[in-house]
Structures are given as structure tokens and as C-alpha cells.
Amino acid sequence: MIGVGKAKQYSNVLDKPLSKGKQEVSLSAFSFLFSELVQYNQTQVDNIAELERRLEDAGYSVGARVLELLCHREKGNRRETRLLGILSFVHSTVWKVLFGKVADSLEKGTEHEDEYMISEKELLVNRFISIPKDMGTFNCGAFVAGIVRGVLDGAGFPAVVTAHFVPVEGQQRPRTTILIKFAEEVLRREARLG
Amino acid sequence: MAAVYSLFIINKSGGLIFYKDYGSSGRMDTNDSLRVASLWHSMHAISQQLSPTVGCSGIELLEADTFDLHCFQSLTGTKFFVVSEPGTQHMEALLKVIYELYTDYVLKNPFYEMEMPIRCELFDLNLSQAVQKDRVALLGR
């Protein structure tokens, strides 16, 4: 019978105000959890590409949920329908809720029309992670790339999203760039909308 | 003159998992550092047993003519110790800082295997910064 009293209190769930959400969680607790996530997935795969894919999938489901929640909470049940709109939604709104800050930069790829990049000097998930030399270019930011893909896919902007380390001049640590490559149909639709 | 000669981290069974020397004095080869580590582990354990005080947690400071050895043992039995110039101050604080770096950059790293030698780029980076800062603070005084 647990919960009966509660259900009566809000006879209509839509009357209940949506909670603002917990503003901050412990970074240590998150880091340990994320570390376990990576370690668990590592036991399930036999190559690095597979590990990257699994982390991305884990992020994808986070992204899909985050989109749903934020559209309801921050945007009054509306979602972005234009390319630049959704990109800045990811870059600012999503990033702020997930990482407590706006992403360092959002740029358009110089070589290809359909590529956009979100860069972070120090991605939160990578804060305590050192990649061993034998794992090459593997980046745990794949999880964040998955989140971005989840948000974009849910909003109707299918894209291929990958995370890369990019060395910065004069800095010991490389920054992480989330590379977003939109599907052809997205660009065609965007061109039609003008 | 370097204040800190070298830093050791040993796991709960006495194996050396991290060794770094700073400056020229007291430099050791791999075999010697391993020997010092396991020797210290045993001495620490024996001192705990021999101590007349109840609930003794082992040697914290060893003072010799040519060096001081400060030791800090975490709750899980990992020991951190620095060999420094005699009379160097604030080594306890430095050890705490190093412990903090260990919990952050080693234990939260999914690619680190417990009780195994530490090979984490971020740990090395932050460690050298912490020791450097300590050295600057010493020179400033």
C-alpha cells in the first residue's frame, strides 16, 4: 500500500510542478560510477572500437532522456527544429545541466559543410582519466558523444558523433572535441527551410 | 638544494607501486628502491607491534643524519613516504596532498588495476606540480 497516500495528493500528475532537479551531485561519486561503467564495459569487449561503441550507446540513452526532460522543463514543451537552434541548445542548455557550465566552443567544420565541433578544454568525464599508451586514440568522451547523438537523434537530427583528443599548442593536455557529422537528409531539410 | 629527495608509494602487501626521485641526492636503482620499499613495509609493521603505546599506527617519522623519512598510511594500508633533507617542514601536509592526488587520479581512473604499479599520466603531471609548488614555497621562506 506504499504510495497510495502520495497518489491521492496529486490526483492529476500534470498539476504537480516539475521539480527543478538536483543542481549538483558529488563529482567523486560520479567519477567512481563512470569508472565502473568503463571497467565493466571493458570486460565485455575484445577491442577498443567495441568499447567506444558501448560507451556511446550508454550515453545515447542519457541523451534521449535529457532532451525530453529539458524540452519540458526549460523550453515549455517546445523543441528546436533548426540546425543552429539545436546545436546551441546542446552547447548551452544541455551542457549546463549536465556539466554545470556552457561548452568551451561550438564551431563549424572548415572542410565539410555538414560537420560541427563542440570543444572542451577538460571534459568532466575525462577529469581523472589517463588513457594508457597502448589504447591509442581511445577517448572516454565517447560517452558524451553518445549523449549528444541521443539528443540530436531524438530531436530529428540524425548524426554521427565522435569524440577526439586534439593537441593544443602550449598546453600539456589535449582538449576533447566532439565531432558532429549530420546525415544528408538533415542538411537537405535545412536548405529547404532556408 | 632539493628538499624532497624521493617519493615512494607501497601497496598493502609491501610491493612498490610508485617511485620517483627528485634531485641528485639519494638516487637509487630499481632493485634498491624495491628493497627499501619492502624493508620499510616490514619495519613499519614491526614497529606497530613493538610500540608500548596502545593502538599505535606505526612509524610516522624516521630521522637520520643525512635524511628524514616521513610516512603516511592510508586507511586501506597503502603507504606513502617521502625521503627529504633533514629538518624539512610540512612533509605531513605534502603527503596528504599526494594521497589526495592518488585518490583522484589513480583510483578514479578506470584503467588502473588495484595494487599494481601506477602508470597514470595525470597523476605524474599533478604530482610534479604539487612537489614543485612545495619547493617554491620552501625557497620563498
Side-chain angles (χ1 to χ4, degrees):
Chain A
M1 296 306 268
I2 299 170
V4 169
K6 247 188 181 168
K8 264 184 191 162
Q9 233 178 329
Y10 303 105
S11 51
N12 185 353
V13 74
L14 294 174
D15 294 340
K16 186 181 160 187
L18 192 65
S19 87
K20 278 191 77 185
K22 206 167 154 66
Q23 298 296 311
E24 270 178 22
V25 294
S26 157
L27 177 60
S28 292
F30 170 75
S31 305
F32 280 123
L33 182 65
F34 186 69
S35 167
E36 281 307 317
L37 176 80
V38 176
Q39 280 178 60
Y40 168 73
N41 280 312
Q42 230 180 338
T43 63
Q44 306 294 307
V45 301
D46 22 63
N47 61 58
I48 290 166
E50 182 78 355
L51 176 61
E52 212 153 36
R53 196 190 59 75
R54 285 188 74 113
L55 280 179
E56 206 188 302
D57 284 352
Y60 184 88
S61 15
V62 174
R65 287 166 171 81
V66 159
L67 173 76
E68 202 83 60
L69 172 69
L70 293 184
C71 283
H72 186 41
R73 196 159 70 190
E74 316 265 335
K75 304 196 86 81
N77 268 335
R78 290 167 177 277
R79 70 169 163 76
E80 300 289 344
T81 51
R82 300 303 300 267
L83 193 77
L84 285 179
I86 194 77
L87 280 171
S88 78
F89 172 76
V90 171
H91 166 262
S92 44
T93 317
V94 172
W95 233 256
K96 216 158 178 180
V97 166
L98 292 178
F99 307 122
K101 65 185 271 292
V102 172
D104 289 340
S105 75
L106 169 65
E107 293 160 83
K108 192 173 172 29
T110 42
E111 283 167 34
H112 301 278
E113 276 294 299
D114 55 351
E115 287 184 352
Y116 289 84
M117 294 171 293
I118 294 176
S119 297
E120 271 284 332
K121 218 171 100 197
E122 174 104 82
L123 203 62
L124 187 94
V125 298
N126 279 338
R127 170 86 57 94
F128 301 120
I129 297 180
S130 320
I131 306 290
K133 292 248 167 5
D134 59 334
M135 293 191 81
T137 59
F138 173 75
N139 191 331
C140 287
F143 180 71
V144 179
I147 295 179
V148 173
R149 189 166 68 91
V151 171
L152 293 176
D153 215 18
F157 293 84
V160 177
V161 186
T162 45
H164 306 274
F165 279 123
V166 178
V168 188
E169 241 178 274
Q171 292 275 331
Q172 264 173 311
R173 296 276 301 162
R175 65 177 184 183
T176 297
T177 294
I178 311 280
L179 183 69
I180 304 164
K181 192 173 171 64
F182 285 104
E184 236 175 88
E185 65 196 77
V186 175
L187 290 162
R188 267 207 304 272
R189 184 182 65 207
E190 197 60 21
R192 209 165 51 233
L193 288 170
Chain B
M1 180 95 163
V4 178
Y5 294 154
S6 49
L7 163 71
F8 296 73
I9 302 177
I10 50 186
N11 65 16
K12 57 172 171 261
S13 40
L16 184 68
I17 55 172
F18 188 85
Y19 169 71
K20 194 161 177 66
D21 56 38
Y22 302 93
S24 49
S25 330
R27 182 163 284 179
M28 267 179 261
D29 65 27
T30 320
N31 279 332
D32 283 341
S33 55
L34 284 167
R35 205 169 294 133
V36 169
S38 52
L39 198 66
W40 180 256
H41 177 75
S42 324
M43 269 180 51
H44 196 272
I46 293 167
S47 75
Q48 238 166 327
Q49 304 281 315
L50 289 181
S51 167
T53 44
V54 185
C56 173
S57 59
I59 313 176
E60 282 173 4
L61 169 62
L62 175 84
E63 284 180 294
D65 287 343
T66 50
F67 67 89
D68 279 4
L69 192 154
H70 293 260
C71 178
F72 167 75
Q73 182 173 216
S74 77
L75 285 172
T76 49
T78 309
K79 280 188 269 294
F80 298 78
F81 62 96
V82 287
V83 180
S84 66
E85 204 182 326
T88 315
Q89 302 285 302
H90 307 298
M91 283 298 115
E92 293 80 11
L94 179 70
L95 283 170
K96 291 273 165 60
V97 171
I98 293 169
Y99 178 43
E100 207 177 309
L101 293 176
Y102 168 78
T103 53
D104 273 351
Y105 297 105
V106 179
L107 298 186
K108 288 174 192 165
N109 185 359
F111 306 108
Y112 173 67
E113 246 176 281
M114 285 302 285
E115 316 292 331
M116 295 305 276
I118 299 170
R119 266 185 235 102
C120 303
E121 191 193 343
L122 276 172
F123 179 68
D124 293 342
L125 211 73
N126 285 280
L127 182 69
S128 56
Q129 270 169 17
V131 174
Q132 200 70 38
K133 213 185 269 172
D134 198 68
R135 201 170 287 174
V136 170
L138 279 167
L139 286 173
R141 247 178 285 125

